[in-house]
């Protein structure tokens, strides 16, 4: 048993922590998310230069041979700064599919671009009526000669406005909600018949509704086995869950620290509100919620390579526990900040918003509690 | 980072498991429950461990400790929980023992440590007083110096299993004029057979006699029984409480408890189906398992910190709060799983020695009593509110 980080991991943490502190300060972030672009490609390039974008890929694929713990370290730091750049869609999700199931040609084609920052991905898996079931797909990919024709509507595709490529789940066989018949494709966003409607999310990121209108894609767009992609999707989304739980932990840590600071300086009835026991105990509960969330994040991260059942149980446990902590910490942080907490001007509200949206990404507390029950 | 145990740790686990399988007293079986156990039952395993040299694993090796790493100690507690073993009582092993070898005189070490190791001498803790509760520093019991003796007067309460105790460690006020209530308190060892010591059992909600009122009337104790310096007892008391809190999470035992809960719920039925297949119930079990997993990793992280040389710090308050909340929810859920048969009062038909079979399935007999009994966990050892105060001050800096 070992809870230590390697020297390299500590270096990555220090580097990112400095980057976030120096270049991702509150005003700069705010200006960036309000700009037309909505993100900072120059930060993305810096992450590439620092080796962060190539971290989880093997050296033979052009990466640096890192693993899940490295991704956790990165995401915690991103969470602290509410970094909006699309690390999870590009590196964790698209990168995960390519790593686990890509052909040599697909890796050659895409991984280099991810590592050097030139290729940005979004992961189009959710559908308007599918909720959190990855197999509940109305999007279809019909065989057409050597390739496929895509039709359907993907919901809330995070990072899609910034992406050059999409990873898309679609049904190539079977019927709605069947475990069989689900496939995964890499699609160039410039493909004819790919229509996007872009918007801002409440937590300051960008997303698109993506419509496929008879979009023709080549046969080599298929990643992995045709019709047999559900286990692969579950593996990759569990990896995304572990990463985003780490991000939530970073955000919770800062939200809690901000709340403590605020309570110490804000006076009412002539004393700092931090001296009220009723608030002290709530801040203690926030702290224990954070620590236990961090423990479950470790568990999910360290179990990503375990048996399917162990991996899923740990990921679901984390999504439940971290989700509950995220809600508690977010809501209590606002309450203790009082009226200031509900203004757009104070940073705390933005942490609250990110933590709120985190809950619904890759399945909410109820969904994962149900999955945990089924895996007993 | 990884969660796997090393091959050495695995081998240690095998060794421990084999030892327990061979040596744990068969008649104690899967008891767990305390109300009908005798003094001999309580110390049976302790004595076997004393012979093996495993009764005080966490002590420094020079005083008879094992030199096990925190991880090995964790494995030890898991393996004991697997058979629901009745573990050595904490009063000697985890409380007064560490105080004596850390602050006590050579004479005290020589006199008291062997009996704690072997399980021959039974200790009790005289901290709490009526009206003081978690405000421990407000204690009123006095010890007045009279020549070579202290004369102790006062009343203690919640003295756990003092009805069997040979010795007790008591916090007494030696300087009533001290500037702060925490000052002027001394830590004194008392032979429970000294004239003037009177122990009166308190019957608890579960029908058992686990705690006592302890009266001290003109109890004359030799001054050699003072531990450390006069009026510095609060320091030793705090040291002891931090030790008490480590290991209080009860993770291994709760894990075993969840397994039993699942067995019960598989046997009970609802609408003609096993209760465990009812989604509402199953989700409560899953939530408990998830919270327990979070606690387990949190404890392992604390242990890892300890292994790296950080003593049990205020983080142990998290383990106390979360651990006891989980223990309480577990007993609550177990009682819910049992349903109607949680109602019969076990004590009403099961006199000691009676051959009559109690009412209802075996797993139902103690469900309610255990639930009632476990309400104590968020109160004792510094209530969970006090733990929150500790975190407030020591960790959050408020």
């Amino acid at each position: 048993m070992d809870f230590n980080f390697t020297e390299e991991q500590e270096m990555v943490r220090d580097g990112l922590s400095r980057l976030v502190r120096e270049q991702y300060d509150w005003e700069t972030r705010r200006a960036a998310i309000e700009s037309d672009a909505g993100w900072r490609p120059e930060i993305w390039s810096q992450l590439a230069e620092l080796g962060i974008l190539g971290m989880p890929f093997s050296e033979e694929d052009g990466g640096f041979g890192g693993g899940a713990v490295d991704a956790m370290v990165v995401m915690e730091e991103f969470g602290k700064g509410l970094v909006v750049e699309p690390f999870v869609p590009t590196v964790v999700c698209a990168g995960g599919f390519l790593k686990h199931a890509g052909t040599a040609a697909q890796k050659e084609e895409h991984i280099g671009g991810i590592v050097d920052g030139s290729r940005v991905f979004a992961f189009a898996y959710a559908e308007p009526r599918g909720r959190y079931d990855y197999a509940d797909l109305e999007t279809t990919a019909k065989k057409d000669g050597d390739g496929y024709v895509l039709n359907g509507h993907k919901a809330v595709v995070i990072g899609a406005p910034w992406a050059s490529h999409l990873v898309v789940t679609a049904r190539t066989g079977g019927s709605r909600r069947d475990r069989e018949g689900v496939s995964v494709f890499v699609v160039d966003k410039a493909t004819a018949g790919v229509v996007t409607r872009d918007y801002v999310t409440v937590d300051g990121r960008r997303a698109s509704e993506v419509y496929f209108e008879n979009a023709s894609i080549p046969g080599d767009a298929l990643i992995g086995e045709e019709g047999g992609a559900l286990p692969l999707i579950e593996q990759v989304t569990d990896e995304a869950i572990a990463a985003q739980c780490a991000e939530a932990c970073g955000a919770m840590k800062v939200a809690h620290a901000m709340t403590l600071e605020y309570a110490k300086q804000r006076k009412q009835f002539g004393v700092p509100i931090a001296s009220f026991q009723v608030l002290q105990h709530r801040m203690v509960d926030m702290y224990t919620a954070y620590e236990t969330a961090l423990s479950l994040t470790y568990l999910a991260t360290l179990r990503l390579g375990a048996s399917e059942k162990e991996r899923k149980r740990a990921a679901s446990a984390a999504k439940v526990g971290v989700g509950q902590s995220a809600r508690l910490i977010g809501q209590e942080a606002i309450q203790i900040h009082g009226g200031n907490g509900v203004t757009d001007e104070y940073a705390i509200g933005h942490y609250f918003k990110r933590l709120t949206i985190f809950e619904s990404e890759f399945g909410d507390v109820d969904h994962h509690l149900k999955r945990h029950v089924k895996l007993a | 980072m990884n969660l796997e145990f090393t091959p050495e740790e695995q081998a240690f686990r095998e060794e421990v498991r084999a030892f327990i399988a061979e040596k744990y007293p068969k008649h104690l079986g899967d008891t767990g429950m305390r109300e009908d156990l005798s003094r001999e039952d309580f110390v049976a395993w302790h004595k076997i461990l004393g012979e093996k040299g495993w009764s005080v694993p966490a002590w420094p090796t020079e005083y008879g400790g094992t030199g096990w790493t925190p991880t090995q100690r964790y494995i030890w507690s898991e393996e004991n929980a697997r058979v629901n073993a009745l573990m050595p009582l904490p009063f000697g092993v985890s409380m007064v023992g560490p105080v004596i070898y850390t602050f006590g005189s050579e004479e005290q070490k020589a006199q008291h440590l062997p009996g704690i190791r072997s399980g021959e001498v039974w200790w009790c803790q005289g901290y709490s007083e009526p009206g003081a509760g978690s405000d421990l520093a407000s204690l009123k019991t006095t010890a007045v110096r009279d020549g070579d003796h202290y004369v102790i007067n006062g009343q203690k309460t919640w003295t756990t299993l003092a009805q069997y105790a040979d010795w007790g460690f008591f916090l007494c006020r030696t300087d009533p004029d001290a500037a702060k209530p925490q000052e002027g308190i001394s830590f004194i060892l008392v032979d429970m057979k000294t004239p003037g010591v009177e122990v009166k059992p308190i019957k608890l909600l579960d029908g058992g006699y686990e705690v006592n009122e302890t009266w001290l009337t003109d109890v004359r104790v030799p001054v050699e029984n003072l531990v450390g310096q006069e009026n510095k007892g609060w320091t030793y008391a705090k040291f002891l409480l931090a030790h008490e809190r480590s290991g209080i999470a009860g993770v291994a035992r709760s894990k075993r408890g969840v397994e039993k809960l699942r067995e019960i719920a598989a046997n009970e039925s609802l609408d003609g189906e096993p209760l465990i297949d009812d989604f509402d119930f199953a989700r409560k079990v899953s939530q408990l398992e998830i919270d327990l997993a979070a606690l387990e990793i949190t404890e392992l992280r604390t242990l890892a910190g300890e292994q790296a040389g950080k003593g049990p710090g205020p983080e142990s308050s998290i383990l106390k709060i979360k651990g006891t909340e989980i223990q309480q929810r577990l007993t609550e859920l177990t009682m819910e799983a049992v349903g109607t048969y949680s109602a019969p009062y076990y004590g009403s038909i099961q006199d000691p020695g009676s051959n009559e079979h109690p009412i209802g399935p075996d797993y139902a007999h103690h469900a309610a009593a255990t639930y009632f009994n476990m309400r104590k966990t968020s109160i004792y050892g510094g209530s969970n509110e006090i733990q929150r105060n500790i975190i407030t001050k020591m960790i959050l800096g408020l």
Side-chain angles (χ1 to χ4, degrees):
Chain A
M1 221 168 29
D2 172 18
F3 290 100
N4 292 310
F5 295 98
T6 63
E7 218 169 288
E8 288 78 17
Q9 286 160 351
E10 294 291 0
M11 274 165 58
V12 167
R13 187 188 294 283
D14 289 348
L16 278 181
S17 166
R18 196 172 330 112
L19 184 140
V20 169
R21 199 170 53 244
E22 289 170 4
Q23 299 186 49
Y24 227 93
D25 62 278
W26 188 239
E27 289 310 319
T28 313
R29 176 188 183 273
R30 174 190 294 251
I33 65 171
E34 286 171 2
S35 71
D36 289 343
W39 70 313
R40 291 164 71 201
E42 71 274 20
I43 291 282
W44 197 246
S45 306
Q46 265 182 286
L47 293 173
E49 278 162 35
L50 286 168
I52 304 296
L53 303 182
M55 202 186 49
F57 301 103
S58 70
E59 286 171 28
E60 62 179 21
D61 289 339
F64 301 98
V69 176
D70 301 81
M72 180 175 82
V73 169
V74 168
M75 291 303 295
E76 266 185 280
E77 296 309 311
F78 284 178
K80 289 177 192 170
L82 295 183
V83 169
V84 298
E85 278 65 28
F87 184 84
V88 168
T90 302
V91 179
V92 179
C93 294
F97 282 112
L98 290 163
K99 214 164 60 166
H100 294 304
T103 61
Q106 285 169 333
K107 291 180 181 178
E108 172 84 34
E109 155 86 21
H110 300 291
I111 291 181
I114 293 178
V115 174
D116 71 19
S118 62
R119 196 158 279 197
V120 173
F121 281 85
F123 180 28
Y125 64 97
E127 298 199 355
R129 280 166 297 276
R131 204 160 176 84
Y132 304 125
D133 181 354
Y134 306 124
D136 191 343
L137 296 173
E138 291 184 278
T139 298
T140 56
K142 286 221 168 63
K143 200 90 183 183
D144 178 36
D146 289 341
Y148 298 87
V149 175
L150 281 174
N151 275 291
H153 171 191
K154 290 291 177 180
V156 199
V157 184
I158 295 290
W162 308 322
S164 57
H165 291 72
L166 305 170
V167 172
V168 181
T169 61
R171 196 161 272 295
T172 46
S175 46
R176 215 173 142 183
R177 291 191 294 274
D178 277 357
R179 282 190 64 85
E180 298 300 321
V182 177
S183 302
V184 176
F185 301 91
V186 183
V187 178
D188 189 327
K189 211 176 80 173
T191 304
V194 178
V195 178
T196 59
R197 185 174 164 207
D198 301 346
Y199 50 91
V200 177
T201 62
V202 293
D203 54 348
R205 295 179 298 170
R206 299 290 162 101
S208 308
E209 295 299 288
V210 179
Y211 304 90
F212 298 104
E213 297 166 355
N214 292 318
S216 289
I217 53 172
D220 63 5
L222 176 75
I223 300 189
E225 192 192 331
E226 187 185 282
L230 199 58
L232 173 65
I233 295 169
E234 289 172 333
Q235 169 79 42
V236 171
T237 48
D238 283 349
E239 289 166 6
I241 283 171
Q244 290 204 314
C245 284
E247 181 193 7
C249 285
M252 284 189 274
K253 190 178 178 117
V254 172
H256 184 230
M258 280 180 172
T259 306
L260 292 178
E261 268 322 295
Y262 184 83
K264 280 195 263 191
Q265 54 91 11
R266 166 75 168 146
K267 284 189 175 174
Q268 278 189 340
F269 309 106
V271 292
I273 62 172
S275 66
F276 301 137
Q277 194 179 48
V278 68
L279 295 191
Q280 290 174 350
H281 286 191
R282 289 165 78 157
M283 288 186 274
V284 169
D285 290 345
M286 291 167 78
Y287 165 70
T288 59
Y290 162 73
E291 287 292 340
T292 48
L294 189 64
S295 293
L296 287 171
T297 300
Y298 285 8
L299 183 69
T301 304
L302 296 171
R303 287 276 184 262
L304 284 176
S307 72
E308 185 188 343
K309 183 176 164 179
E310 269 190 280
R311 183 199 79 220
K312 285 183 175 177
R313 269 175 71 87
S316 284
K319 202 68 182 57
V320 171
V322 180
Q324 289 166 336
S325 292
R327 185 170 291 192
L328 178 111
I329 289 174
Q331 291 179 346
E332 293 289 50
I334 298 303
Q335 178 68 21
I336 293 169
H337 273 80
N340 289 324
V342 293
T343 63
D344 185 61
E345 192 191 333
Y346 268 68
I348 192 65
H350 298 262
Y351 283 85
F352 176 44
K353 291 200 280 186
R354 177 71 196 106
L355 287 171
T356 303
I357 299 307
F358 157 78
E359 280 190 56
S360 67
E361 294 182 280
F362 300 108
D364 62 10
V365 168
D366 281 348
H367 173 82
H368 280 283
L369 198 46
K370 203 169 188 174
R371 191 170 83 146
H372 195 271
V373 166
K374 287 181 180 159
L375 290 163
Chain B
M1 268 200 177
N2 75 78
L3 286 174
E4 310 315 317
F5 292 99
T6 65
E8 292 76 21
E9 286 162 349
Q10 292 288 8
F12 176 75
R13 188 187 288 280
E14 294 306 319
E15 183 192 355
V16 164
R17 193 174 299 179
F19 176 73
I20 293 173
E22 190 193 342
K23 299 283 190 180
Y24 188 72
K26 298 287 173 285
H27 76 281
L28 291 177
D30 191 20
T31 48
M33 190 62 197
R34 315 167 60 119
E35 67 190 47
D36 49 354
L37 296 174
S38 66
R39 169 171 167 147
E40 286 63 40
D41 290 336
F42 277 115
V43 298
W45 184 221
H46 188 158
K47 288 185 173 169
I48 294 166
L49 294 176
E51 286 160 24
K52 172 81 173 169
W54 283 4
S55 61
V56 289
W59 289 15
T61 46
E62 56 174 314
Y63 299 118
T66 52
W68 290 343
T69 63
T71 310
Q72 284 177 305
R73 273 159 32 210
Y74 187 77
I75 291 170
W76 169 246
S77 69
E78 274 202 319
E79 290 303 316
N80 277 279
R82 180 188 296 276
V83 300
N84 204 11
L86 200 58
M87 292 299 283
L89 292 165
F91 310 103
V93 173
S94 318
M95 299 182 183
V96 76
V99 170
I100 290 174
Y101 66 63
T102 308
F103 305 105
S105 65
E106 290 310 315
E107 291 74 17
Q108 286 167 342
K109 291 178 196 174
Q111 183 186 356
H112 295 297
L113 298 183
I116 295 174
R117 279 198 303 267
S118 69
E120 293 295 328
V121 181
W122 184 298
W123 284 83
C124 66
Q125 178 194 42
Y127 269 29
S128 297
E129 295 192 5
S134 289
D135 181 13
L136 189 55
S138 71
L139 60 92
K140 293 191 174 68
T141 296
T142 56
V144 178
R145 184 78 182 252
D146 178 26
D148 293 340
H149 286 79
Y150 287 106
V151 179
I152 303 179
N153 277 288
Q155 187 195 348
K156 296 287 178 180
T157 191
W158 314 127
T159 329
T160 303
L161 295 172
Q163 64 265 44
Y164 302 133
D166 306 301
W167 279 80
F169 50 100
F170 287 81
L171 288 181
C172 307
R173 197 163 289 289
T174 36
D175 178 6
D177 303 322
K180 289 204 296 188
Q182 288 85 351
E183 292 165 7
I185 292 172
S186 295
F187 191 102
I188 300 175
L189 310 177
V190 178
D191 183 335
M192 295 297 279
K193 285 180 286 296
T194 316
V197 178
E198 192 195 351
V199 171
K200 213 175 113 195
I202 302 171
K203 187 172 184 176
L204 294 182
L205 283 181
D206 61 357
Y209 294 94
E210 195 176 61
V211 293
N212 300 271
E213 289 180 279
T214 304
W215 302 80
L216 301 132
T217 312
D218 293 328
V219 176
R220 292 183 69 82
V221 175
V223 287
E224 294 84 52
N225 289 9
L226 171 76
V227 175
Q229 288 176 269
E230 194 177 83
N231 297 331
K232 294 289 175 208
W234 189 250
T235 311
Y236 318 139
K238 276 199 305 188
F239 168 87
L240 178 151
L241 287 172
H243 268 264
E244 182 187 13
R245 259 170 243 134
S246 64
I248 211 164
V251 169
R253 240 152 249 277
S254 291
K255 275 166 86 175
R256 174 78 191 110
V258 173
E259 273 174 37
K260 287 190 99 164
L261 172 61
R262 283 194 174 281
E263 287 162 24
I264 293 171
N267 197 58
E268 291 288 323
S269 68
L270 176 69
D271 299 334
E273 301 291 330
L275 175 62
I276 195 63
D277 293 341
D278 175 65
F279 184 70
D280 288 333
F281 189 83
R283 99 177 243 153
K284 288 195 247 182
V285 179
S286 261
Q287 179 76 59
L288 191 65
E289 282 182 316
I290 290 166
D291 293 343
L292 187 51
L295 177 68
E296 180 176 19
I297 304 294
T298 307
E299 181 168 43
L300 292 173
R301 285 167 56 209
T302 313
L303 284 179
E306 224 182 299
Q307 205 146 333
K310 288 186 269 173
E315 294 82 6
S316 60
S317 291
I318 295 187
L319 304 179
K320 158 86 199 320
I321 295 169
K322 287 289 163 190
T324 55
E325 284 176 358
I326 286 170
Q327 288 160 31
Q328 291 183 335
R329 270 166 51 212
L330 174 61
T331 56
E332 195 178 334
L333 213 44
T334 303
M335 192 178 58
E336 280 181 33
V338 165
T340 323
Y341 271 125
S342 57
Y345 176 43
Y346 182 68
S348 66
I349 49 147
Q350 187 65 357
D351 291 328
S354 159
N355 289 327
E356 215 171 328
H357 195 273
I359 310 292
D362 285 348
Y363 55 70
H365 302 157
H366 296 294
T370 308
Y371 165 72
F372 295 139
N373 185 278
M374 292 306 275
R375 300 316 297 171
K376 71 189 177 189
T377 62
S378 52
I379 301 167
Y380 68 27
S383 70
N384 286 10
E385 287 71 26
I386 293 295
Q387 304 306 324
R388 285 182 170 85
N389 290 352
I390 292 171
I391 295 176
T392 297
K393 236 197 199 150
M394 309 296 285
I395 299 179
L396 305 189
L398 299 179

